């Protein structure tokens, strides 16, 4: 029950780029996949499965950046709040 426009807004991805992903014309980076998972409200298991299916590295809790992202997913923290946390911890943001 989520429109592509709403998903684009919630994931911080442009609608054009999102349409290109769904049409198979773009292969999103790991960061973009994580943004999509946040936008979809995916669980940690669902996020790990999507990353695996797309050939991207799964989240690894012993990696500081990944641990912050995992924390955000498990606690239902918004993508924008996680980006702020990553930035404040001098880690690469998702977008």
């Amino acid at each position: 029950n989520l429109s592509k426009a709403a998903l684009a807004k919630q994931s911080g991805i442009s609608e054009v780029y999102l349409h290109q992903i769904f049409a198979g014309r773009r292969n999103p980076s790991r960061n973009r996949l994580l943004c999509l998972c946040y936008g979809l409200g995916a669980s940690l298991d669902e996020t790990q499965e999507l990353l695996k299916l797309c050939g991207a590295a799964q989240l690894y809790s012993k990696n500081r950046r990944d641990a912050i992202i995992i924390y955000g997913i498990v606690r239902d923290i918004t993508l924008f709040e996680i980006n702020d946390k990553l930035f404040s911890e001098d880690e690469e943001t998702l977008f």
Side-chain angles (χ1 to χ4, degrees):
N1 290 337
L2 188 63
S3 70
K4 287 182 182 175
L7 177 57
K9 184 176 181 178
Q10 289 175 211
S11 61
I13 297 174
S14 75
E15 286 187 57
V16 172
Y17 188 81
L18 188 64
H19 285 286
Q20 291 172 343
I21 292 170
F22 286 128
R25 293 191 304 262
R26 291 277 185 142
N27 291 321
S29 67
R30 182 176 187 251
N31 283 348
R32 294 289 184 174
L33 290 170
L34 289 167
C35 289
L36 282 173
C37 288
Y38 268 102
L40 291 167
S43 68
L44 180 57
D45 288 339
E46 291 167 336
T47 299
Q48 296 288 48
E49 184 66 20
L50 178 70
L51 291 170
K52 181 180 172 183
L53 289 171
C54 292
Q58 292 183 316
L59 293 168
Y60 181 60
S61 62
K62 292 189 179 182
N63 174 292
R64 182 178 171 173
R65 179 176 185 264
D66 284 359
I68 294 168
I69 295 168
I70 290 169
Y71 178 84
I73 292 170
V74 171
R75 301 286 183 178
D76 288 326
I77 296 172
T78 70
L79 172 62
F80 305 101
E81 290 172 315
I82 286 301
N83 245 6
D84 288 344
K85 180 66 173 169
L86 289 168
F87 181 79
S88 70
E89 296 291 330
D90 292 325
E91 295 290 340
E92 178 189 355
T93 59
L94 291 170
F95 61 87

